[in-house]
Amino acid sequence: MRHFGFVLIICVAFIEISNGAAFAQGTVDPSPERLVFPTEKGQKGFEEWVGLEKGSGPWADYYKPTPLHMYWSPKNHYIRPDLSAFKDLFDEYASGDCMGCHEDVTPGIVMSWKSSAHAKPRKSAKFAEKTRAIEETSGIKIEQVTCSFCHGESHDELFLPVADDVCKKCHRQQVEEFASEIADGRPSHRASWISNVVVPWYVEGFRRGEGYSFIGCDQCHPAMERCDGCHTRHKFSADEARRPEACYSCHMGADHPDAETYSESKMGVIYAMEGDTWAFDKGLNDLDLGGPEMRAPTCQICHMYNNTSGKWGHNVTSKGRWRMGTFPPVQVEYKSSMKDYPYGITIPPLNKKIDLYDGENKRKLERWLEVCNNCHSGRFARLWFEALDEYMFAAYRKRDEAQLLVEECFEKGWIDVNARAPYPMGDVLADKLGIKLLGEGVFKALKMSKGKIPVVGPILGVYANFRHDDGNPSQIETEYGNMWFWYALKGYKGVAHGQQDYAWWWGWAPMVNQLSRIKSQHDMLERVYNIEAKLGIGLGGK
């Protein structure tokens, strides 16, 4: 810790300089083969280095990222630090002595690395065989995977590794599996940063000087091509990534309480009681499921079993049927405008309803049943999925009832959209996206109103949980946003993971309570409007 003063100086120096001039670009010679972003458009938006002068993706010109974005999306934003404050350290340690220097400056990183298979690639017969296989397929001789392999030979070329440039050299199969999530669309790990920065409410927050408010979103939606979301730095342990806790830090909370529902389900309780004895040192394809090696499933067992191959791998979305529960199913007969979803919008994944019983989703269900049949009878497992689907259909009928009430408030003029801020980025959405992506109806509505239109319900109406700008959204819109994006999804996760308390008390019960609040708000707005009409004042008196 004797160099703590230098660390403090460099932090202060970065904060000062990051507000003005940019440092040198932090990139490495990229692999010409891009698996994670194979298209030119994707590479330009999410891999082209822009420093901190622009954002990521299609809205890059509309906001400047916070300095932490260097770590969330390093291909876009990483800037090498100014190391002039460390001159004494460079004089003390020989060039290339990364370990010696960093044992002083960042000892935790070095200790983590020393416990890793990167430091000891032949620490057991099993690891020696894996290392030999990697050497054979990659053509790389491996004694140790040291700092320079992942970060460059010197500070002059320092970079942060991503899968296509570094991890793929040794772990090609895993990167290919990860990149195969492209076929499944969003939501997915591969598209986590895309999902974060393309939504209009995110960019609107930056336009209004509130970019730091999204730090929670950024932490769970970084560019997952870094791999360290599951294999944490600098140990990069497969054993660790096979445990449910590896998923908990992101897959939790109001809209996707996976950690809460799994850990308090019978599966999670068995894991809590017995997990210390399970064979997490084994690959998922080598486990004896249901026995002493793993008596109950983990997140990884259920979600990493691949729809295409029938084996476990690094694609976690291939069996996704409900797609997080946020897209309306065709199996429900709607009375609200959800009957017209997706309103002509052609932007994936907003461009269609879900058909739970089409050929593709039927095949996915059979793959789910293959996993469940390791521990349950086929009849029980099939009935459970049937119950999940029926629960969700019923929840969507409640959402539809609520959405109809909210829409009436706008149709009758009880809420004045002209007296409040437009929909996030609504003033530029039409010109930016165009009629082909938005569809004629949405395009014309945005264009003519300059974004001052009501947007409620799945999925663009979720902005009600992220923004409040000059009276937009109103209370009834916020209540509806909480109903479908919080409580309905909590119930969904409760049923999906077999956690009864979330299915009812944190899901269905508060969801219908929200419907009561929405009905009361609807009736109050109607009464106020009618009173104002009689008095010749306010909205009713216009």
Side-chain angles (χ1 to χ4, degrees), residues 284-303:
L284 300 183
N285 287 294
D286 301 323
L287 282 170
D288 183 15
L289 296 177
E293 290 189 341
M294 189 170 286
R295 192 165 75 88
T298 60
C299 316
Q300 293 82 347
I301 290 297
C302 292
H303 292 282

Side-chain angles (χ1 to χ4, degrees), residues 243-542:
R243 293 177 178 269
E245 291 90 344
C247 311
Y248 285 179
S249 59
C250 288
H251 291 271
M252 47 77 71
D255 57 334
H256 39 54
D258 302 294
E260 298 91 330
T261 52
Y262 170 80
S263 63
E264 296 176 11
S265 71
K266 279 297 180 186
M267 299 174 290
V269 169
I270 292 172
Y271 165 69
M273 292 189 293
E274 302 179 9
D276 287 345
T277 67
W278 290 358
F280 288 106
D281 59 328
K282 279 192 170 184
L284 300 183
N285 287 294
D286 301 323
L287 282 170
D288 183 15
L289 296 177
E293 290 189 341
M294 189 170 286
R295 192 165 75 88
T298 60
C299 316
Q300 293 82 347
I301 290 297
C302 292
H303 292 282
M304 296 182 77
Y305 187 70
N306 191 272
N307 178 49
T308 303
S309 67
K311 296 181 178 180
W312 282 270
H314 281 68
N315 179 318
V316 299
T317 60
S318 68
K319 298 195 308 301
R321 298 170 67 243
W322 274 102
R323 309 304 292 166
M324 226 182 114
T326 53
F327 301 103
V330 301
Q331 279 72 24
V332 173
E333 186 176 339
Y334 302 98
K335 296 178 181 178
S336 73
S337 68
M338 270 197 282
K339 66 181 182 296
D340 302 318
Y341 185 93
Y343 317 113
I345 295 172
T346 62
I347 306 169
L350 310 178
N351 58 333
K352 61 181 179 180
K353 289 187 174 85
I354 291 176
D355 185 350
L356 271 294
Y357 302 137
D358 66 9
E360 181 183 5
N361 275 320
K362 283 183 177 179
R363 287 190 294 273
K364 290 179 179 180
L365 176 59
E366 295 307 312
R367 285 297 195 194
W368 274 110
L369 295 173
E370 288 177 14
V371 179
C372 301
N373 289 166
N374 282 287
C375 300
H376 301 288
S377 73
R379 184 175 70 165
F380 177 85
R382 196 174 293 276
L383 287 173
W384 195 273
F385 276 96
E386 181 181 309
L388 171 62
D389 292 346
E390 291 297 332
Y391 181 99
M392 289 296 284
F393 297 153
Y396 262 98
R397 285 190 283 271
K398 292 295 184 185
R399 297 189 206 187
D400 184 51
E401 186 179 343
Q403 183 152 326
L404 196 62
L405 291 168
V406 178
E407 288 172 350
E408 186 179 12
C409 295
F410 290 102
E411 290 167 3
K412 297 287 182 67
W414 304 341
I415 299 173
D416 186 3
V417 294
N418 293 313
R420 65 185 197 175
Y423 182 77
M425 303 299 290
D427 55 323
V428 297
L429 273 172
D431 292 332
K432 173 68 176 174
L433 299 181
I435 194 169
K436 184 176 180 180
L437 292 177
L438 292 173
E440 184 176 2
V442 175
F443 173 82
K444 286 184 176 179
L446 285 168
K447 187 75 173 176
M448 293 173 64
S449 69
K450 296 183 179 179
K452 291 198 171 186
I453 59 172
V455 179
V456 297
I459 185 169
L460 294 175
V462 77
Y463 84 97
N465 292 91
F466 291 85
R467 303 295 315 147
H468 183 89
D469 301 312
D470 305 324
N472 186 13
S474 64
Q475 182 177 346
I476 194 170
E477 293 167 276
T478 303
E479 299 284 12
Y480 180 44
N482 291 343
M483 176 186 177
W484 74 264
F485 195 65
W486 283 9
Y487 301 120
L489 296 187
K490 285 181 179 180
Y492 161 53
K493 295 295 186 177
V495 178
H497 293 143
Q499 211 301 309
Q500 61 275 17
D501 206 44
Y502 266 81
W504 181 261
W505 288 115
W506 295 102
W508 190 273
M511 182 185 71
V512 294
N513 288 345
Q514 286 297 108
L515 180 56
S516 296
R517 292 187 182 95
I518 290 164
K519 182 65 168 70
S520 296
Q521 270 283 306
H522 166 278
D523 294 349
M524 184 197 71
L525 289 169
E526 181 180 19
R527 287 195 299 271
V528 169
Y529 184 90
N530 290 337
I531 291 170
E532 289 180 341
K534 288 184 178 181
L535 296 175
I537 61 174
L539 286 177
K542 287 185 178 179

